[in-house]
């Protein structure tokens, strides 16, 4: 069973009135987990060349772009889609608030914990969790209307 069919089964188990938002929330979280993997991979790949802060910035945009694409075709597939470039730009702009929370937590941990500098996955995870709900709510209301 794929994670996609598992999500669909979980959604069908929700009360009917909660299936749409519940499904979007679960799919958004699944996409976010995929984006987390991209984020971590890019940080680890680029930390030697760009340092942890530079790698963190590049990683955020790589993960955010992948998340936007997957959210467009899977999470919010039943919603109206505007032009690709305009929606991508709106996604990045709207998720700026999540970005501030995400990279704020990341930067705080990198600056203050030797463990986070040695294992940046700790800071990436804290940042991802910090921005998740804000990104979901803003994406749902303002990007994928």
């Amino acid at each position: 069973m794929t994670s996609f069919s598992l999500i669909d089964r979980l959604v069908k188990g929700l009360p009917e009135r909660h299936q749409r938002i519940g499904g979007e929330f679960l799919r958004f979280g699944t996409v976010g987990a995929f984006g987390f993997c991209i984020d971590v991979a890019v940080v680890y790949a680029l930390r030697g060349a760009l340092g942890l802060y530079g790698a963190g910035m590049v990683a955020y945009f790589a993960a955010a772009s992948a998340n936007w694409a997957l959210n467009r075709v899977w999470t919010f597939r039943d919603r109206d889609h505007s032009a690709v470039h305009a929606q991508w730009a709106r996604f990045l702009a709207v998720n700026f608030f999540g970005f501030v929370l995400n990279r704020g937590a990341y930067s705080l941990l990198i600056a203050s914990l030797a463990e986070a500098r040695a294992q940046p996955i700790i800071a990436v995870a804290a940042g991802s969790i910090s921005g998740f709900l804000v990104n979901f709510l803003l994406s749902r209301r303002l990007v994928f209307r």
Side-chain angles (χ1 to χ4, degrees):
M1 178 183 322
T2 67
S3 61
F4 300 126
S5 61
L6 176 61
I7 298 296
D8 291 338
R9 288 182 63 199
L10 288 170
V11 170
K12 288 180 179 154
L14 294 172
E16 192 172 325
R17 69 181 188 272
H18 297 302
Q19 286 183 2
R20 181 171 182 174
I21 192 168
E24 289 174 350
F25 185 79
L26 290 170
R27 287 188 296 271
F28 194 86
T30 302
V31 168
F34 176 73
F36 172 77
C37 293
I38 292 172
D39 202 343
V40 169
V42 173
V43 165
Y44 276 80
L46 297 179
R47 69 181 173 170
L50 300 178
L52 287 171
Y53 295 107
M57 290 301 189
V58 172
Y60 177 83
F61 285 105
S65 295
N67 283 3
W68 163 77
L70 287 172
N71 281 319
R72 180 179 169 92
V73 299
W74 187 49
T75 304
F76 301 107
R77 64 182 175 249
D78 298 332
R79 293 182 176 243
D80 185 35
H81 294 293
S82 58
V84 171
H85 65 284
Q87 190 181 55
W88 176 76
R90 193 167 56 250
F91 181 81
L92 292 179
V94 163
N95 284 288
F96 179 74
F97 298 106
F99 168 80
V100 170
L101 293 171
N102 183 316
R103 283 316 186 229
Y106 173 90
S107 297
L108 180 66
L109 289 176
I110 292 296
S112 61
L113 291 176
E115 295 86 358
R117 287 189 295 278
Q119 297 299 324
I121 191 171
I122 296 167
V124 174
S128 294
I129 292 166
S130 298
F132 175 77
L133 188 58
V134 168
N135 283 343
F136 172 70
L137 294 172
L138 291 176
S139 291
R140 187 170 194 276
R141 298 264 184 211
L142 301 175
V143 178
F144 303 101
R145 310 176 246 187

